[in-house]
Amino acid sequence: MRAPSSELPVVLDRVSFKTGETTIIDRLSLTMAPGAPTVIVGPNGSGKTTLLRICMGLIAPTDGGISWGGRQHAAMAHRAIVFQRPVMLRRSVAANVAYALARAGVARRARVAHVDELLARVGLLDLAPRAARRLSGGELQRLALARALARDPELLLLDEPTASLDPASTRRVEEIILMAAKSGIKIVMASHDLGQVRRIAGDVVFLARGALCEQRSADDFLNHPTTSEAAAFLRGDLVI
Amino acid sequence: MVSSNPTLVAIVRLSLAVSLTASLIAAVVGMPLGALLALTRFPGRAMLVVLFNAMMGLPPVVVGLAVYLLLSRTGPLGTMGILFTPAAMIMAQTILIVPIIAALTRQTVEDLWFDYRDELNAMEVGPARRIATLLWDARYSLVTTLLAGFGRAIAEVGAVMIVGGNIDGFTRTMTTAIALETSKGDLPLAMGLGLVLVGIVLAINAMAWAARLWSERQAG
Amino acid sequence: MQNRIQSLALALGLSIVTMAAPAFSQEKSIVVASTTSTQDSGLFGYLLPLFKAKTGIDVKVIAQGTGQALDTARRGDADVVFVHARSQEEKFMSEGFGVKRFDVMYNDFVLIGPASDPAGVKGSKDVSAALKTIQAKAAPFVSRGDKSGTHFAELALWKDAGIDIATTKGPWYREIGQGMGAALSTANAMNGYVLSDRGTWLSFKNRGDLVIAVEGDKRMFNQYGVILVNPDKFPSVKKELGQAFVDWLISPEGQNVIANYKIDGQQLFFPNAEKKAS
């Protein structure tokens, strides 16, 4: 259905990220291959957001290397990211999606139909003319997903997309994510919601203090954590 | 008396034409300039920001004098022959308000940029498109910026007096007419003209406000 | 949407420019640098429409002090000067900035003071004596202080009275650096004396308590002259149109118009052109 991916696998080779004296990511090596969603799990401050930004190519590692499908300085063309608190342009819902389409190089004439299709996919077609900044939290996340999907990504990075949503909204967002995964998009998502990990994850990357503790299938991780940090996290004991 | 007096109508028309034209030119120049200052980092940028902020307080007479010397027959642009014409007045007022528009735009766009930076980077938006996007999305605040510039233009007397010459029926504006009537000792007429000026400025601001409310409701 | 609004803004801008466009056309017009006294007295408002009806020439008047008006012409920014300070005009001519100087008309200066007359000079016909008294009693005196014709005339009168005003002036002597109207308003506000041309005084509307204190002294004679700016110095000078204005002012017709200008039945200016350049 889809041409072979040019973005995958994402390979991180002893990646470190430091600001001043603080080490946020610590010599992290990791491979993210095509397939079921990878969920990055870890307590607050473990470096999940920074890792996602590095994977997007928004920030460069201060040490180590990253490659996308074997290329080290790849353009972002087929990657997309949804930030934890997405910021919408001060325009309508439809205009926000149209803007993302335009930036992704979709011709003006093709945009209108494409906007409708994307909005239908996230269930926001009725709200197309509404001001984007007046959407509810759940609607905003779904619009952010539509905007990310407008880039026709092979790799979709999501930073705790349901962190502040009620259960019903969470469910709708997860449905969209799973649908995207099914269509062949590689999902890499940060989360600290274990229920969500169970529902979505194919494999889990567990971070603590910026370092990789485990990378295993979701079932293995949830049922048989091998590191003490992961076990403590699963028990609900805070890892600092 | 106000509506039936053709001289007064001509004076009001000229004031509006000069100050609105100057405001529009200043917007076309000043807004991208302010946005550029907001988005780029280069050596000397801080100095430029301070300079623009300071130039918001530029005395109109100084601008008038500088433009006068520039446009005088013996000045560098003397061959244009536009001293003592509305074109010279537009030029002086444009110079006067470009710093205001650039400085206020820079502040507005910089605030918005902090908001938008991640998203625009993630969409790989290029530099020119960034400026256009930020200016467009800041449009409601920028209307206020434009009004601030227009307000200063229509209210100033020093620059238009010097470069326009306050020629009856040709370069006489509301403010120079007020200055003239004051000097002739006709204080009631001067005050009356002043009230007309205040009324016009008020009406324009009210219209801009209404337009802003309406379009904000449309697009958020 | 964005494009539509942009084109709307462009259309608006264009319409404003075209709205102003008629004002930009400069066909058959000249710039005359003149004095506040001729403008504020209303003479130009009366005279220029008649000139335009006769010749079709628009005269754009920049009203400044005599010194400033001559400087404007020295920079080539005026076609004709119409001022009233003989010594300054002669200096202008000797520097080669003018073609020819013609007498046009005269009026006279009057010494204005408060009705209460704190210096006690009212009714005198001797301006020197009056100024001596004002200085001796340190009565408030407002000076234009702006190098205008009236300012030069005032300085000459102090000199005639044997007073070196530059060294003897005190707080009672206020140089305001503004036009005639502003000087009269200031005198009214501070109950001071002030030298004014009669034309501006007659048309001035904010007199308050001010009255004429001294008039009729021959030394208070105020001659106006007109000069075409030298086109050899400034090729931009519109010499035919400017010359037409000069010729008309000193023609019997122009002289007649000047004589006919009256405020409240009083003649303001007395034509005295001799058709002879000086």
Side-chain angles (χ1 to χ4, degrees):
Chain A
M1 183 171 100
R2 224 189 147 97
S5 172
S6 59
E7 299 283 352
L8 296 169
V10 181
V11 177
L12 286 81
D13 179 24
R14 274 170 297 163
V15 163
S16 291
F17 188 82
K18 294 178 187 149
T19 53
E21 292 297 297
T22 321
T23 300
I24 297 169
I25 300 288
D26 190 12
R27 287 161 296 168
L28 190 149
S29 294
L30 183 65
T31 300
M32 286 176 281
T38 298
V39 177
I40 301 169
V41 178
N44 291 328
S46 57
K48 299 190 295 291
T49 296
T50 304
L51 179 57
L52 287 175
R53 282 169 184 259
I54 289 172
C55 290
M56 181 67 189
L58 286 174
I59 51 179
T62 45
D63 246 314
I66 178 168
S67 64
W68 294 270
R71 295 162 304 134
Q72 294 199 318
H73 299 289
M76 299 176 192
H78 293 289
R79 300 195 287 277
I81 186 166
V82 174
F83 297 103
Q84 192 174 351
R85 275 180 290 277
V87 177
M88 288 299 145
L89 303 181
R90 289 170 185 171
R91 310 181 187 193
S92 70
V93 166
N96 267 280
V97 177
Y99 184 87
L101 285 171
R103 300 294 80 76
V106 175
R108 184 184 290 270
R109 250 177 303 165
R111 273 180 230 158
V112 182
H114 217 122
V115 167
D116 285 356
E117 185 221 316
L118 284 164
L119 287 179
R121 230 161 122 185
V122 300
L124 286 177
L125 199 50
D126 293 347
L127 300 183
R130 186 84 74 82
R133 293 202 160 216
R134 305 224 177 113
L135 296 180
S136 71
E139 290 162 349
L140 189 69
Q141 281 295 343
R142 283 188 276 141
L143 177 55
L145 280 166
R147 194 170 62 174
L149 291 171
R151 291 172 62 77
D152 192 19
E154 294 163 7
L155 174 66
L156 177 56
L157 303 156
L158 308 171
D159 193 358
E160 302 191 23
T162 62
S164 53
L165 303 186
D166 61 42
S169 303
T170 300
R171 216 183 125 94
R172 299 195 70 174
V173 168
E174 286 179 358
E175 279 165 8
I176 296 165
I177 294 170
L178 287 170
M179 228 162 62
K182 223 160 140 191
S183 74
I185 300 172
K186 171 69 183 179
I187 307 285
V188 175
M189 176 171 119
S191 177
H192 46 210
D193 174 350
L194 295 175
Q196 188 163 61
V197 173
R198 201 166 280 128
R199 290 190 294 275
I200 291 181
D203 62 334
V204 168
V205 170
F206 182 74
L207 289 186
R209 289 186 226 94
L212 177 70
C213 289
E214 302 194 22
Q215 181 179 21
R216 300 162 58 208
S217 78
D219 280 346
D220 279 1
F221 172 76
L222 291 167
N223 299 322
H224 315 287
T226 54
T227 56
S228 56
E229 284 93 342
F233 180 79
L234 291 169
R235 280 200 311 275
D237 294 347
L238 211 66
V239 178
I240 299 167
Chain B
M1 161 223 144
V2 166
S3 59
S4 61
N5 187 335
T7 315
L8 181 60
V9 170
I11 288 175
V12 169
R13 211 176 77 146
L14 178 73
S15 295
L16 286 176
V18 166
S19 294
L20 282 174
T21 308
S23 303
L24 284 177
I25 297 173
V28 168
V29 175
M31 286 183 179
L33 199 66
L36 203 67
L37 268 180
L39 295 190
T40 52
R41 295 290 179 272
F42 53 90
R45 175 186 173 272
M47 229 173 64
L48 217 58
V49 169
V50 171
L51 186 71
F52 273 119
N53 285 343
M55 274 167 64
M56 289 204 284
L58 212 57
V61 243
V62 174
V63 174
L65 189 60
V67 173
Y68 181 101
L69 294 174
L70 209 60
L71 295 180
S72 176
R73 284 287 176 191
T74 47
L77 298 181
T79 47
M80 289 170 74
I82 60 167
L83 188 66
F84 303 138
T85 69
M89 299 155 78
I90 290 170
M91 188 167 161
Q93 289 196 342
T94 302
I95 292 172
L96 190 66
I97 62 179
V98 158
I100 296 184
I101 290 185
L104 295 179
T105 300
R106 183 200 61 78
Q107 191 60 59
T108 305
V109 167
E110 205 165 292
D111 292 346
L112 195 61
W113 172 233
F114 283 123
D115 226 19
Y116 278 16
R117 180 165 46 191
D118 281 340
E119 301 284 6
L120 296 190
N121 281 341
M123 285 190 269
E124 296 176 282
V125 179
R129 171 67 60 176
R130 258 180 218 174
I131 289 178
T133 301
L134 288 164
L135 286 178
W136 177 249
D137 276 42
R139 57 197 180 278
Y140 303 119
S141 311
L142 292 181
V143 167
T144 311
T145 299
L146 189 62
L147 285 177
F150 171 75
R152 181 153 156 93
I154 192 108
E156 73 87 20
V157 56
V160 281
M161 181 69 96
I162 295 178
V163 304
N166 191 23
I167 298 167
D168 190 14
F170 185 59
T171 58
R172 183 161 299 167
T173 64
M174 304 282 301
T175 51
T176 58
I178 291 168
L180 177 66
E181 293 309 329
T182 304
S183 79
K184 282 158 83 174
D186 197 342
L187 303 187
L189 180 54
M191 199 61 220
L193 283 168
L195 290 177
V196 172
L197 177 63
V198 170
I200 287 168
V201 171
L202 209 61
I204 286 179
N205 275 276
M207 281 193 294
W209 183 252
R212 178 181 169 157
L213 277 186
W214 177 80
S215 49
E216 240 177 354
R217 205 162 295 149
Q218 301 290 306
Chain C
M1 166 84 155
Q2 189 166 350
N3 287 328
R4 207 168 57 207
I5 292 188
Q6 278 163 352
S7 50
L8 190 75
L10 188 69
L12 183 71
L14 282 177
S15 64
I16 287 169
V17 172
T18 33
M19 189 165 91
F24 289 111
S25 62
Q26 296 180 63
E27 280 172 87
K28 282 199 91 166
S29 73
I30 54 170
V31 171
V32 175
S34 188
T35 67
T36 50
S37 57
T38 36
Q39 171 162 285
D40 292 2
S41 66
L43 175 66
F44 280 134
Y46 173 74
L47 179 146
L48 295 182
L50 295 171
F51 175 66
K52 166 131 196 206
K54 165 104 180 168
T55 61
I57 299 170
D58 244 326
V59 177
K60 298 174 189 161
V61 179
I62 316 287
Q64 301 168 321
T66 291
Q68 204 189 346
L70 289 169
D71 280 344
T72 298
R74 278 191 182 95
R75 275 187 294 266
D77 294 326
D79 302 305
V80 173
V81 280
F82 188 6
V83 292
H84 64 124
R86 188 63 177 260
S87 60
Q88 301 295 313
E89 293 160 43
E90 277 161 2
K91 183 157 173 274
F92 182 83
M93 291 302 298
S94 68
E95 291 163 352
F97 285 108
V99 177
K100 274 178 184 173
R101 181 195 171 281
F102 297 92
D103 280 338
V104 178
M105 61 191 190
Y106 69 91
N107 66 353
D108 62 343
F109 292 112
V110 285
L111 186 66
I112 304 295
S116 57
D117 194 22
V121 297
K122 200 158 77 181
S124 160
K125 284 203 184 298
D126 182 347
V127 71
S128 289
L131 288 178
K132 274 182 200 154
T133 313
I134 288 169
Q135 190 241 9
K137 294 190 177 173
F141 186 96
V142 177
S143 169
R144 290 276 295 274
D146 62 351
K147 295 190 176 176
S148 58
T150 307
H151 185 214
F152 285 124
E154 178 215 313
L155 294 176
L157 288 176
W158 286 112
K159 204 173 164 194
D160 267 4
I163 295 167
D164 183 0
I165 195 67
T167 56
T168 59
K169 67 186 172 192
W172 57 275
Y173 185 83
R174 313 269 170 89
E175 290 166 282
I176 63 167
Q178 294 188 67
M180 196 65 250
L184 284 165
S185 285
T186 309
N188 177 26
M190 51 186 266
N191 269 328
Y193 293 87
V194 60
L195 187 73
S196 170
D197 66 284
R198 190 182 290 271
T200 306
W201 166 250
L202 284 175
S203 60
F204 190 66
K205 296 204 172 76
N206 185 31
R207 290 184 194 175
D209 281 341
L210 296 177
V211 295
I212 292 177
V214 179
E215 63 182 324
D217 190 315
K218 269 186 292 186
R219 285 167 291 198
M220 293 164 89
F221 185 82
N222 179 25
Q223 177 67 48
Y224 286 82
V226 68
I227 305 170
L228 177 69
V229 178
N230 193 349
D232 293 341
K233 283 245 183 197
F234 305 107
S236 59
V237 168
K238 294 171 182 162
K239 64 179 169 195
E240 285 83 13
L241 302 181
Q243 190 62 52
F245 181 60
V246 172
D247 289 346
W248 184 78
L249 276 181
I250 58 179
S251 72
E253 186 188 346
Q255 294 279 296
N256 205 25
V257 167
I258 291 169
N260 283 339
Y261 180 57
K262 295 188 171 92
I263 290 178
D264 298 335
Q266 284 203 56
Q267 184 174 344
L268 263 64
F269 297 97
F270 300 87
N272 65 344
E274 290 172 29
K275 269 280 178 193
K276 180 186 87 188
S278 56

